[in-house]
Amino acid sequence: MVTHGHADHCRPGSAALLATPETAAIAAARYGAGAFGSVQALPCGETLTIGAARLRFAPAGHVLGSAQAVIEVGARRAVISGDYKRRADPTCAPFEPVACDLFVTEATFGLPVFRHPPVEDEVGKLLRSLARFPERAHAVGVYALGKAQRLIAELRRAGWDAPIRLHGALVKLCDLYEAHGVALGPLLPAAAAEKQALRGAVVLAPPSALADRWARRLPDPVICAASGWMRLRQRAKQRGAEVAMAISDHADWDELTATIVETGAAEVWVTHGAEEALCRWCALNGIDARPLSLAGRGDEGEAEAGAA
């Protein structure tokens, strides 16, 4: 059961892939139709029975197609959250809490210092900079799956209706989102534009491209970044971001702890982040918890673990 399409969760070469239809489509777009031995799509809400176990998915609110894996055997239920967020996102279905006995939760922002600001305040930083520097391109480093599409949708919701320019690495997944009913408005390739046409434009690209010669085509660019890690000044400095937007696709500390309580789980396993702090919080609140070690964590698949 694969919860979503990011590379630290969905790896090509597996003998079988069981995922939501959207995640199956994302996997095919990213890795090719033959990347998995077999692919089975299971829409959220439908149940698959394997032996004594009943399997289903519930929305996780992380990116398009993201889901929690719900496994039931007899009267016992385990829920594996995958990556999730609790904030509203116009590009994917919202998180649905599922009551369970065992909850396996992520902890990307599992420290009390992380409390995400309202997304409209962060988008406002970019809009104010665009108004202040209309002659400069605003180059935003975003991950190709999820963050790019969410930022586009949030800009549209804030009233930005001009064409948004895309690095070539973002085009395929933006097209996939639109094919699944997520309206993104006018999008144009950045590579085909004359330098003059990029003045005052919003240009989205992978973070690595903004540190590469690719960015030289942009007219006096304002370097921007959109990630939950932008709450940390040092991270923003490392990215060279003049406009640092703390926009996250993960739950923050308050949301992680509230979700654990909401599930009613007597046992919690914590992974993908600051496991110790969240386990300590569970212990103080009478919940049995332990960190979960993952095989392969830290290998090449973790390159996208920063898609926060």
Side-chain angles (χ1 to χ4, degrees), residues 135-190:
E135 75 287 356
R136 301 174 67 186
H138 281 64
V140 189
V142 290
Y143 289 90
L145 172 58
K147 191 60 59 65
Q149 297 79 21
R150 184 184 181 198
L151 182 58
I152 293 168
E154 295 291 357
L155 281 167
R156 300 306 188 199
R157 188 154 62 175
W160 185 263
D161 55 8
I164 292 173
R165 298 280 181 169
L166 300 180
H167 184 284
L170 308 184
V171 173
K172 183 186 295 185
L173 288 172
C174 285
D175 289 346
L176 187 149
Y177 266 64
E178 293 215 293
H180 283 82
V182 179
L184 299 176
L187 306 173
L188 294 172

Coordinates of all heavy atoms in Angstrom, one line a residue, residues 135-190:
E135 N 9.5 45.1 -12.3 CA 10.4 44.9 -13.4 C 11.2 43.6 -13.3 O 11.9 43.2 -14.2 CB 11.3 46.1 -13.6 CG 12.4 46.1 -12.5 CD 12.0 46.5 -11.1 OE1 10.8 46.8 -10.9 OE2 12.8 46.5 -10.2
R136 N 11.1 42.9 -12.1 CA 11.9 41.7 -11.9 C 11.0 40.4 -11.9 O 9.9 40.4 -11.5 CB 12.5 41.8 -10.5 CG 13.4 43.0 -10.3 CD 14.0 43.2 -8.9 NE 14.9 42.1 -8.5 CZ 15.4 41.9 -7.3 NH1 15.0 42.8 -6.3 NH2 16.2 40.9 -7.0
A137 N 11.6 39.4 -12.4 CA 11.0 38.1 -12.3 C 11.1 37.6 -10.9 O 12.0 37.8 -10.2 CB 11.7 37.1 -13.3
H138 N 10.0 36.9 -10.5 CA 10.0 36.3 -9.2 C 10.1 34.7 -9.3 O 9.2 34.1 -9.8 CB 8.8 36.7 -8.4 CG 8.9 38.0 -7.8 ND1 9.0 39.2 -8.6 CD2 8.9 38.5 -6.5 CE1 9.1 40.2 -7.8 NE2 9.1 39.8 -6.5
A139 N 11.3 34.2 -9.0 CA 11.6 32.8 -9.3 C 11.4 32.0 -8.0 O 12.1 32.3 -7.0 CB 13.0 32.6 -9.8
V140 N 10.4 31.1 -8.0 CA 10.0 30.4 -6.7 C 10.5 29.0 -6.8 O 10.0 28.2 -7.7 CB 8.5 30.5 -6.5 CG1 8.2 29.9 -5.1 CG2 8.0 31.9 -6.6
G141 N 11.3 28.5 -5.9 CA 11.7 27.1 -5.8 C 10.6 26.3 -5.2 O 10.2 26.5 -4.0
V142 N 10.1 25.3 -5.9 CA 9.0 24.5 -5.4 C 9.2 23.0 -5.9 O 9.8 22.8 -6.9 CB 7.6 24.9 -6.0 CG1 7.2 26.2 -5.4 CG2 7.6 25.0 -7.5
Y143 N 8.7 22.1 -5.1 CA 8.8 20.7 -5.5 C 7.7 20.4 -6.6 O 6.6 21.0 -6.6 CB 8.7 19.8 -4.3 CG 9.9 19.8 -3.5 CD1 10.0 20.8 -2.5 CD2 11.0 19.0 -3.8 CE1 11.2 20.9 -1.7 CE2 12.2 19.1 -3.0 CZ 12.3 20.1 -2.0 OH 13.4 20.2 -1.3
A144 N 8.1 19.5 -7.5 CA 7.2 19.3 -8.7 C 5.9 18.7 -8.4 O 4.9 19.0 -9.1 CB 8.0 18.4 -9.7
L145 N 5.8 17.9 -7.3 CA 4.6 17.2 -7.0 C 4.0 17.8 -5.7 O 4.6 17.7 -4.6 CB 4.8 15.7 -6.8 CG 3.6 14.9 -6.2 CD1 2.3 15.1 -7.1 CD2 3.9 13.4 -6.1
G146 N 2.9 18.5 -5.8 CA 2.2 19.0 -4.7 C 2.4 20.5 -4.4 O 1.5 21.3 -4.5
K147 N 3.6 20.9 -4.1 CA 3.9 22.3 -3.8 C 3.7 23.2 -4.9 O 3.1 24.3 -4.8 CB 5.3 22.4 -3.2 CG 5.6 23.8 -2.5 CD 4.7 24.1 -1.4 CE 4.7 23.1 -0.3 NZ 6.0 23.0 0.4
A148 N 4.1 22.8 -6.1 CA 4.0 23.7 -7.3 C 2.5 23.9 -7.6 O 2.1 25.1 -7.7 CB 4.6 23.0 -8.5
Q149 N 1.7 22.9 -7.6 CA 0.3 23.0 -7.9 C -0.5 23.8 -6.8 O -1.4 24.6 -7.1 CB -0.4 21.7 -8.1 CG 0.2 20.9 -9.3 CD 1.6 20.2 -9.0 OE1 1.9 20.0 -7.8 NE2 2.3 19.9 -10.0
R150 N -0.1 23.5 -5.5 CA -0.8 24.2 -4.4 C -0.5 25.7 -4.5 O -1.4 26.6 -4.3 CB -0.4 23.7 -3.1 CG -1.1 24.3 -1.9 CD -0.6 23.8 -0.6 NE -1.4 24.4 0.5 CZ -1.0 24.4 1.7 NH1 0.2 23.9 2.1 NH2 -1.7 25.0 2.7
L151 N 0.8 26.1 -4.7 CA 1.1 27.5 -4.8 C 0.4 28.2 -5.9 O -0.1 29.3 -5.8 CB 2.6 27.7 -4.9 CG 3.1 29.2 -4.9 CD1 2.7 29.9 -3.7 CD2 4.6 29.2 -5.1
I152 N 0.3 27.5 -7.1 CA -0.4 28.1 -8.2 C -1.9 28.3 -7.8 O -2.4 29.4 -8.0 CB -0.4 27.2 -9.4 CG1 1.1 27.1 -10.0 CG2 -1.3 27.6 -10.5 CD1 1.3 26.0 -11.0
A153 N -2.5 27.3 -7.2 CA -3.9 27.5 -6.8 C -4.1 28.5 -5.8 O -5.1 29.3 -5.8 CB -4.4 26.1 -6.3
E154 N -3.2 28.7 -4.8 CA -3.3 29.7 -3.8 C -3.1 31.1 -4.4 O -3.8 32.1 -4.0 CB -2.3 29.5 -2.7 CG -2.5 28.2 -1.9 CD -3.8 28.2 -1.0 OE1 -4.5 29.3 -1.0 OE2 -4.1 27.2 -0.4
L155 N -2.2 31.2 -5.4 CA -2.0 32.5 -6.1 C -3.3 32.9 -6.8 O -3.7 34.0 -6.8 CB -0.9 32.4 -7.1 CG 0.5 32.6 -6.4 CD1 1.6 32.2 -7.4 CD2 0.8 34.0 -6.0
R156 N -3.9 31.9 -7.5 CA -5.2 32.2 -8.2 C -6.3 32.6 -7.2 O -7.0 33.5 -7.5 CB -5.7 30.9 -8.9 CG -4.7 30.4 -10.0 CD -4.3 31.4 -11.0 NE -3.5 30.8 -12.1 CZ -2.7 31.6 -12.9 NH1 -2.6 32.9 -12.7 NH2 -2.0 31.0 -13.9
R157 N -6.3 31.9 -6.1 CA -7.3 32.3 -5.1 C -7.1 33.7 -4.5 O -8.1 34.4 -4.1 CB -7.3 31.3 -3.9 CG -8.5 31.4 -2.9 CD -8.8 30.1 -2.2 NE -7.7 29.6 -1.4 CZ -7.8 28.5 -0.7 NH1 -9.0 27.8 -0.6 NH2 -6.8 28.1 0.0
A158 N -5.9 34.1 -4.5 CA -5.5 35.5 -4.0 C -5.7 36.5 -5.1 O -5.5 37.7 -4.8 CB -4.1 35.5 -3.5
G159 N -6.1 36.1 -6.3 CA -6.4 37.1 -7.4 C -5.4 37.2 -8.4 O -5.5 38.1 -9.4
W160 N -4.3 36.5 -8.4 CA -3.2 36.6 -9.4 C -3.7 35.7 -10.6 O -3.7 34.5 -10.6 CB -1.9 36.0 -8.9 CG -0.8 36.2 -9.9 CD1 -0.3 35.2 -10.7 CD2 0.0 37.3 -10.1 NE1 0.8 35.7 -11.5 CE2 1.0 37.0 -11.1 CE3 0.1 38.6 -9.5 CZ2 1.9 37.9 -11.5 CZ3 1.0 39.5 -10.0 CH2 1.9 39.2 -10.9
D161 N -4.1 36.4 -11.7 CA -4.7 35.7 -12.9 C -3.8 35.8 -14.1 O -4.1 35.2 -15.2 CB -6.0 36.3 -13.2 CG -6.1 37.8 -13.5 OD1 -5.0 38.4 -13.5 OD2 -7.2 38.3 -13.6
A162 N -2.5 36.3 -14.0 CA -1.6 36.4 -15.1 C -1.0 35.0 -15.3 O -1.0 34.2 -14.4 CB -0.5 37.4 -14.8
P163 N -0.6 34.7 -16.5 CA 0.1 33.4 -16.8 C 1.3 33.2 -15.9 O 2.1 34.1 -15.6 CB 0.6 33.5 -18.2 CG -0.4 34.5 -18.9 CD -0.6 35.5 -17.8
I164 N 1.4 32.0 -15.4 CA 2.5 31.6 -14.5 C 3.5 30.8 -15.3 O 3.0 29.8 -16.1 CB 2.0 30.8 -13.3 CG1 1.2 31.8 -12.4 CG2 3.2 30.2 -12.5 CD1 0.6 31.1 -11.2
R165 N 4.7 31.1 -15.3 CA 5.8 30.4 -16.1 C 6.3 29.2 -15.4 O 6.6 29.2 -14.2 CB 6.9 31.3 -16.4 CG 6.5 32.6 -17.3 CD 6.3 32.2 -18.7 NE 5.9 33.4 -19.5 CZ 5.9 33.4 -20.9 NH1 6.3 32.3 -21.5 NH2 5.5 34.5 -21.5
L166 N 6.5 28.1 -16.1 CA 7.0 26.8 -15.5 C 8.3 26.4 -16.1 O 8.5 26.4 -17.3 CB 5.9 25.7 -15.7 CG 4.5 25.9 -15.2 CD1 3.7 24.7 -15.5 CD2 4.5 26.2 -13.7
H167 N 9.2 25.9 -15.2 CA 10.3 25.1 -15.6 C 9.8 23.8 -16.2 O 8.7 23.3 -15.8 CB 11.2 24.8 -14.4 CG 12.4 24.1 -14.7 ND1 12.5 22.7 -14.9 CD2 13.7 24.5 -14.7 CE1 13.7 22.3 -15.1 NE2 14.5 23.4 -15.0
G168 N 10.5 23.2 -17.2 CA 10.0 22.0 -17.9 C 9.7 20.9 -16.9 O 8.9 20.0 -17.2
A169 N 10.5 20.8 -15.8 CA 10.3 19.6 -14.9 C 8.9 19.7 -14.2 O 8.6 18.6 -13.6 CB 11.4 19.6 -13.9
L170 N 8.2 20.8 -14.2 CA 7.0 20.9 -13.5 C 5.8 20.7 -14.4 O 4.6 20.5 -14.0 CB 6.8 22.3 -12.9 CG 8.0 22.8 -12.0 CD1 7.6 24.1 -11.4 CD2 8.3 21.7 -10.9
V171 N 6.0 20.7 -15.7 CA 4.9 20.7 -16.7 C 4.0 19.4 -16.6 O 2.8 19.4 -16.6 CB 5.4 20.9 -18.1 CG1 4.2 20.8 -19.1 CG2 6.0 22.3 -18.2
K172 N 4.7 18.3 -16.6 CA 4.0 17.0 -16.7 C 3.0 16.8 -15.5 O 1.8 16.4 -15.7 CB 5.0 15.8 -16.7 CG 4.3 14.4 -16.9 CD 5.3 13.3 -16.7 CE 6.3 13.3 -17.8 NZ 7.3 12.2 -17.8
L173 N 3.4 17.1 -14.3 CA 2.5 16.9 -13.2 C 1.5 18.0 -13.1 O 0.4 17.7 -12.6 CB 3.4 16.9 -11.9 CG 4.2 15.6 -11.8 CD1 5.1 15.6 -10.6 CD2 3.2 14.4 -11.6
C174 N 1.7 19.2 -13.6 CA 0.7 20.2 -13.6 C -0.4 19.8 -14.6 O -1.6 19.9 -14.3 CB 1.3 21.6 -14.0 SG 2.2 22.4 -12.7
D175 N 0.0 19.2 -15.7 CA -1.0 18.7 -16.7 C -1.8 17.6 -16.1 O -3.0 17.5 -16.3 CB -0.2 18.2 -17.9 CG 0.3 19.3 -18.8 OD1 0.0 20.4 -18.6 OD2 1.2 19.0 -19.7
L176 N -1.1 16.7 -15.3 CA -1.8 15.6 -14.6 C -2.9 16.1 -13.6 O -4.0 15.6 -13.6 CB -0.8 14.7 -13.9 CG -1.4 13.4 -13.4 CD1 -0.3 12.3 -13.4 CD2 -1.8 13.5 -11.9
Y177 N -2.5 17.1 -12.9 CA -3.4 17.7 -11.9 C -4.7 18.2 -12.7 O -5.8 18.0 -12.3 CB -2.8 18.8 -11.1 CG -2.2 18.4 -9.8 CD1 -1.2 17.6 -9.7 CD2 -2.7 19.0 -8.6 CE1 -0.6 17.2 -8.5 CE2 -2.2 18.6 -7.4 CZ -1.1 17.7 -7.3 OH -0.6 17.4 -6.1
E178 N -4.4 19.0 -13.8 CA -5.6 19.5 -14.5 C -6.4 18.4 -15.1 O -7.7 18.5 -15.2 CB -5.1 20.5 -15.6 CG -4.4 21.7 -15.0 CD -4.6 23.0 -15.9 OE1 -4.1 23.0 -17.0 OE2 -5.4 23.8 -15.4
A179 N -5.8 17.3 -15.5 CA -6.6 16.2 -16.1 C -7.4 15.5 -15.0 O -8.4 14.9 -15.3 CB -5.6 15.1 -16.7
H180 N -7.1 15.7 -13.7 CA -7.9 15.2 -12.6 C -8.8 16.3 -12.0 O -9.2 16.2 -10.9 CB -6.9 14.6 -11.5 CG -6.4 13.3 -11.9 ND1 -5.3 13.1 -12.7 CD2 -6.8 12.0 -11.6 CE1 -5.1 11.8 -12.9 NE2 -6.0 11.1 -12.2
G181 N -9.0 17.4 -12.8 CA -10.0 18.3 -12.4 C -9.5 19.5 -11.5 O -10.4 20.2 -11.0
V182 N -8.2 19.6 -11.3 CA -7.7 20.7 -10.5 C -7.3 21.9 -11.5 O -6.4 21.8 -12.3 CB -6.4 20.3 -9.8 CG1 -5.9 21.5 -8.9 CG2 -6.8 19.1 -8.8
A183 N -8.1 23.0 -11.5 CA -7.9 24.1 -12.4 C -6.7 24.9 -11.9 O -6.7 25.4 -10.7 CB -9.2 24.9 -12.4
L184 N -5.8 25.2 -12.8 CA -4.6 25.9 -12.4 C -4.5 27.3 -13.2 O -3.5 28.0 -12.9 CB -3.3 25.1 -12.6 CG -3.2 23.8 -11.8 CD1 -2.0 23.0 -12.2 CD2 -3.2 24.1 -10.3
G185 N -5.4 27.5 -14.1 CA -5.3 28.8 -14.8 C -4.2 28.7 -15.9 O -3.6 27.7 -16.2
P186 N -3.9 29.9 -16.5 CA -3.0 29.9 -17.6 C -1.5 29.7 -17.2 O -1.0 30.3 -16.3 CB -3.1 31.3 -18.2 CG -3.7 32.1 -17.1 CD -4.6 31.2 -16.3
L187 N -0.9 28.7 -17.8 CA 0.5 28.3 -17.5 C 1.3 28.3 -18.8 O 0.8 27.9 -19.9 CB 0.5 26.9 -16.9 CG -0.3 26.7 -15.6 CD1 -0.2 25.2 -15.2 CD2 0.2 27.6 -14.5
L188 N 2.5 28.8 -18.8 CA 3.3 28.9 -20.0 C 4.7 28.4 -19.6 O 5.2 28.5 -18.5 CB 3.4 30.3 -20.5 CG 2.1 31.0 -21.0 CD1 2.3 32.5 -21.3 CD2 1.6 30.3 -22.2
P189 N 5.4 27.8 -20.6 CA 6.8 27.4 -20.4 C 7.7 28.6 -20.2 O 7.6 29.6 -20.9 CB 7.2 26.6 -21.6 CG 6.2 27.1 -22.7 CD 5.0 27.5 -22.0
A190 N 8.6 28.5 -19.2 CA 9.6 29.6 -19.0 C 10.7 29.6 -20.0 O 11.1 30.7 -20.4 CB 10.2 29.4 -17.6

